[in-house]
Amino acid sequence: MVTLTRAPRAFVLVAALLVSLGSLGTPREVRAAWTAGGYSTTDEDQMLTLINGARASAGLKPVVMDSRLRSIAESRSSDFVRNRYFGHNIPTACGQVFTMLQAQSIAYSWAAENIGWNTYGDADATQWQFDWFMGSATHKANILSPYATSIGVGAYKDTWTYGTACSQTGTGSTYADARLYTIVFIQDPPADATAPTVTAPTSKLFLTTAGTTTVPVRTAWTRSDASGIASSTLERQVNGGAFATVLSSATALSADFSLADGSTYRYRVRATDTYGNVSGYVYGPTFKPSRVDQSSTAVVYGGSWSSASSTYASGGTFKYASAAGASASYTFTGMSLGLLAVKSASGGSFDVYVDGGYKTTISLYAATTAYRQVVYTMNYATQGTHTLKIVAKGNGRIYLDGYLRLTV
C-alpha cells in the first residue's frame, strides 16, 4: 500500500495524456453495497465518515466528497483489476492521478493519493483499510493534511491478479473478492489571497526549574486565518545578531526556552495559511534575562534570616528563615519577575504580596529536594516598577535563592 502527494503549490500539469480518460475505464454501474465487479457507495461514504472523524479529533476541518474526484478514484480502483497492477504510475497512461485531474480540468493547489487493498469481508474491509492507512505515517499525513478540502473515494470489489502488467513486480497471485481503495485528495483553489493575522510574540517567566546560568522563558503568540494555518515560524535574534528560526509548527502557540543570563533577545513570528499566503513578520520587544542573588542589597529582609552555603544555590548561598513573620522584599523595574526558592521535606509556606496587596500563599514542601525552583512569577504587558514581598507562615523553613528578571 502506497501514498502519493504533490507539494502544496499552484500547479498546471503539462505531461501529455497518451490515452483518453475513458480508456482507463468508465466506472461500472454503482451499487449501494459490495457486489463482485462493482463499487460500493456505502463503503465510499463510510471511508469519508472515518476520515472526517479523525480530522475532527485532530482539530482539522472536514473534507467533502467531490463527485468528480469520486469518479477518478473509482476509475483508479477498477483499473488495478482491469490492467492487473497496483501503483501510482498508470501503465496505460503517461502520468499519475495528477494527469487525470488535468484531463478533467480539475483545478487544485495541492493534491495527493492513497491506495490500498485487502481481502477482508464486506462488513470489515473499509474499517480495516482506514485503520491501516492511519497506521502508516505517509498515508495518515494525507488524511490529516491541513491542505485537504475535497476528496474522492473509490471502493471496488473483484477478483484481482496482481503483478503481471507492464513493469510491476508483484507475484502474479490471484485474489478472489479483493477490495481495492483509492482516495484522491485535493485542496481547492484559494478563495482569496488574504494572509493570516498574527499577534506580536510576548515573552515571560514561567514556573519550572531554572538553570545555573540560564533563565526559563516562555514565548507565546496567536494567529488566525479563515482557511486554516499550515505553519507558524518563530525566529530569534540574540545580542542584535541575525534572526534564526527556532520553531516551525502548524499547531504550536508557544515555545519554552532556556536563555542565557545577560544576553539580549528578540522574537518575531509569521504564519502561512493552507493556500500559501504568508503574513509579514510581527516583532516582540527586545529584552534581557538576568538574575538577582538573594544576598543583593536590593533585597530588604525583615525578622530573623540566616545564610547557608551550597553548591546548588545560584550565587553559592541561600537565605533561610523559619519564624513566622520573617519577610523579604524586592522592588524591581521590568516586565517579568520570578522568585527562586528550594522545595524540600522541611519546606514551609509563605504569603505573597505584590505592590502591597495579598496575592496567594505558596508551600515549599516537597518529598524530594528540588533546587532553583521558580515558585512564583509576575508578568506584565509593559515594563514598570513593582514590589514583591514574601512573609513566612512559620510552619517550616523558607529557603530563598534569588530572583529572575526580564527587562526591556
Side-chain angles (χ1 to χ4, degrees), residues 195-198 221-225 229-234 249 269-273 276-282:
T197 299
V198 184
W221 61 96
T222 65
R223 73 288 185 278
S224 62
D225 189 88
I229 298 295
S231 67
S232 295
T233 300
L234 181 68
S249 170
V269 66
R270 68 178 180 182
T272 304
D273 67 19
N277 298 309
V278 184
S279 73
Y281 281 106
V282 181

Side-chain angles (χ1 to χ4, degrees), residues 172-317:
S173 299
T174 297
Y175 301 90
D177 292 334
R179 279 79 173 172
L180 298 110
Y181 293 81
T182 301
I183 307 174
V184 179
F185 305 83
I186 69 166
Q187 180 186 41
D188 294 297
D192 59 63
T194 303
T197 299
V198 184
T199 61
T202 59
S203 297
K204 64 181 183 180
L205 299 165
F206 64 102
L207 304 181
T208 187
T209 302
T212 55
T213 59
T214 58
V215 175
V217 175
R218 175 169 294 159
T219 297
W221 61 96
T222 65
R223 73 288 185 278
S224 62
D225 189 88
S227 69
I229 298 295
S231 67
S232 295
T233 300
L234 181 68
E235 296 188 348
R236 180 171 63 207
Q237 180 188 58
V238 183
N239 293 327
F243 280 92
T245 299
V246 292
L247 177 72
S248 182
S249 170
T251 58
L253 292 174
S254 67
D256 295 343
F257 304 101
S258 293
L259 304 184
D261 290 353
S263 293
T264 60
Y265 295 88
R266 193 179 193 188
Y267 288 94
R268 67 182 186 181
V269 66
R270 68 178 180 182
T272 304
D273 67 19
T274 60
Y275 288 115
N277 298 309
V278 184
S279 73
Y281 281 106
V282 181
Y283 291 76
T286 299
F287 65 90
K288 177 187 291 187
S290 61
R291 70 184 62 212
V292 175
D293 190 62
Q294 45 76 28
S295 62
S296 170
T297 57
V299 185
V300 179
Y301 291 96
S304 178
W305 289 81
S306 301
S307 296
S309 299
S310 173
T311 57
Y312 296 105
S314 293
T317 60

Side-chain angles (χ1 to χ4, degrees), residues 113-196:
E113 179 184 70
N114 282 1
I115 58 175
W117 66 276
N118 67 77
T119 56
Y120 281 82
D122 290 352
D124 303 317
T126 297
Q127 181 69 61
W128 185 93
Q129 193 64 60
F130 171 79
D131 292 342
W132 192 96
F133 283 147
M134 291 298 287
S136 164
T138 51
H139 296 80
K140 181 180 180 180
N142 287 337
I143 289 173
L144 299 183
S145 172
Y147 299 107
T149 56
S150 299
I151 69 169
V153 182
Y156 187 72
K157 172 183 175 180
D158 209 345
T159 298
W160 175 46
T161 300
Y162 165 43
T164 60
C166 298
S167 60
Q168 301 299 315
T169 58
T171 63
S173 299
T174 297
Y175 301 90
D177 292 334
R179 279 79 173 172
L180 298 110
Y181 293 81
T182 301
I183 307 174
V184 179
F185 305 83
I186 69 166
Q187 180 186 41
D188 294 297
D192 59 63
T194 303

Side-chain angles (χ1 to χ4, degrees), residues 39 72-81 154-156 180-182:
Y39 307 93
I72 288 175
E74 289 178 342
S75 292
R76 290 281 290 127
S77 292
S78 60
D79 195 53
F80 296 145
V81 173
Y156 187 72
L180 298 110
Y181 293 81
T182 301

Side-chain angles (χ1 to χ4, degrees), residues 38-55:
Y39 307 93
S40 171
T41 56
T42 298
D43 288 86
E44 291 167 358
D45 291 340
Q46 180 188 357
M47 182 66 77
L48 173 66
T49 299
L50 292 169
I51 287 172
N52 278 334
R55 291 178 66 84

